[in-house]
Amino acid sequence: MTTIDKTQLGSTGPKVGRLGLGAMGMSGAYGRSDDSDSIATIHAALDSGATIIDTGDFYGGGHNEMLIHRALAERPREDYQLSVKFGALRGPDGSFGGVDCRPAAMRNFLLYSLQRLGVDYIDIYRPARLDPAVPIEDTVGAIAEMVAAGYVRHIGLSEVGAQTLRRAAAVAPIVDLQIEYSLITRGIEREILPTAGELGIGITAYGVLSRGLLSDSLRTQPTFAPDDFRAHSPRFQGENLTTNLRLVSALAEIAEQRGVSVAQLAIAWVLGRGDDIVPLIGARRVPRWQEAVAALDIEFTADERSAIEAAAPAEAVAGTRYAAAQMAMLDSES
């Protein structure tokens, strides 16, 4: 297997593996998953040179953090970096109840994450969404106090816009912005990506495969279980999905010419956007992780990149990346 090289995360961040592992799908976001497969995938990711494992304290109601604890129990702490999101509120039925990023709430969430993960500190701690009731300065300032106290190493943000990035960076160093970025989700290129670059803030990109849309597994009209995120995502509904699958088919022709999968093409495209962008791969099984790692060996010429982008222009994508209620919570879409 290819050994993953390291890159620096932002101008003030740590050295990290060029690919990171996103663990959300290991706790039910895309239907049922198997804990033993998930643990094997975490081990495979670390063995290949990945260092970042990304989670959220609300993934599976805490299941995700406890699963990661089990997977990392025998691993030296310096071998991995935990990226943790907090602030999302959930009910016992799994429903979402908004966000709470008050300093007192942050400290409460942090305590539980440290306990569930079985660690003394979290490498990168970030609010999952901007709390409209709490100034970002208050939240970031409170996390900075946790950095000074040794409970957190670095501060990150998630799904915020350029103005919020500037306000946050004026309070304390921000090492990265976690945000959706893919061949067909390119809105951050207008303002957010340039601002992050100017401020020395790295990008940890999730949704690189657009929830599996940019892969060979959804080439027909699939159906999704009710507990699968995609069952409620506009991009995977009716005519929207039909339109989007046409784009994937066009990409599949290019991928076939290169002898790679659609997923590998999509990952390689994001990797080629800059060393300060670290794709988070939401693999749940070892073969899917191995497929992603192989994308590190793929390089495109300028003509190939143009052909790829012409085959699936972002403006041709049908449907928003979240349902309306969730889109309204995204500062990055303001």
Side-chain angles (χ1 to χ4, degrees):
M1 180 186 294
T2 299
T3 300
I4 298 174
D5 291 333
K6 299 290 193 297
T7 189
Q8 183 167 343
L9 190 61
S11 60
T12 63
K15 292 284 188 179
V16 302
R18 195 69 180 82
L19 290 178
L21 178 65
M24 182 180 72
M26 298 177 180
S27 295
Y30 298 107
R32 294 184 62 183
S33 58
D34 181 89
D35 282 1
S36 60
D37 284 343
S38 298
I39 290 172
T41 304
I42 292 171
H43 290 168
L46 295 178
D47 290 343
S48 65
T51 61
I52 291 180
I53 301 173
D54 182 76
T55 183
D57 61 12
F58 49 94
Y59 290 170
H63 169 270
N64 206 243
E65 289 183 322
M66 291 186 287
L67 173 72
I68 290 169
H69 182 185
R70 288 166 53 198
L72 300 177
E74 305 300 323
R75 297 276 174 157
R77 182 64 181 89
E78 63 271 17
D79 285 0
Y80 58 87
Q81 294 145 330
L82 296 170
S83 165
V84 180
K85 293 180 288 297
F86 72 89
L89 303 176
R90 301 191 71 172
D93 60 352
S95 60
F96 280 90
V99 294
D100 188 348
C101 294
R102 293 172 300 141
M106 179 278 296
R107 290 188 288 269
N108 178 77
F109 291 134
L110 177 58
L111 167 64
Y112 286 109
S113 284
L114 290 169
Q115 291 295 318
R116 283 192 293 256
L117 289 163
V119 296
D120 297 324
Y121 65 89
I122 288 170
D123 298 272
I124 310 171
Y125 201 50
R126 72 184 79 241
R129 295 288 185 269
L130 180 68
D131 185 339
V134 180
I136 191 62
E137 291 86 353
D138 291 0
T139 302
V140 169
I143 303 174
E145 293 175 359
M146 296 298 97
V147 173
Y151 297 115
V152 173
R153 291 285 173 86
H154 303 282
I155 304 171
L157 293 172
S158 177
E159 287 290 355
V160 300
Q163 181 181 358
T164 302
L165 272 182
R166 292 188 185 280
R167 290 171 55 191
V171 176
I174 306 298
V175 298
D176 75 317
L177 170 65
Q178 187 174 125
I179 195 163
E180 186 167 353
Y181 185 45
S182 75
L183 182 58
I184 61 173
T185 304
R186 300 178 60 182
I188 70 169
E189 294 176 351
R190 289 190 295 272
E191 186 177 9
I192 294 173
L193 203 55
T195 301
E198 174 193 335
L199 297 172
I201 297 172
I203 299 292
T204 43
Y206 75 89
V208 173
L209 301 182
S210 297
R211 317 287 185 177
L213 184 61
L214 293 173
S215 70
D216 293 307
S217 61
L218 298 179
R219 297 287 294 281
T220 58
Q221 290 276 355
T223 57
F224 303 106
D227 59 347
D228 189 318
F229 168 89
R230 294 167 293 188
H232 313 285
S233 171
R235 287 188 177 172
F236 291 87
Q237 309 303 312
E239 288 302 314
N240 285 350
L241 181 58
T242 300
T243 297
N244 295 333
L245 288 176
R246 291 194 193 103
L247 302 179
V248 178
S249 293
L251 291 172
E253 293 181 10
I254 299 174
E256 185 175 358
Q257 293 170 5
R258 280 296 306 263
V260 301
S261 68
V262 173
Q264 288 170 331
L265 180 145
I267 295 168
W269 183 87
V270 173
L271 285 165
R273 297 296 293 167
D275 291 341
D276 56 343
I277 299 175
V278 175
L280 298 173
I281 308 301
R284 296 187 290 177
R285 298 178 181 84
V286 173
R288 295 286 73 79
W289 176 258
Q290 293 172 333
E291 179 185 13
V293 172
L296 289 162
D297 294 328
I298 302 170
E299 293 185 6
F300 299 118
T301 65
D303 287 344
E304 286 175 325
R305 294 188 70 85
S306 296
I308 290 168
E309 292 163 11
E315 62 272 16
V317 178
T320 54
R321 55 195 180 103
Y322 289 98
Q326 291 174 295
M327 288 293 290
M329 296 174 62
L330 296 177
D331 181 63
S332 55
E333 295 286 343
S334 306

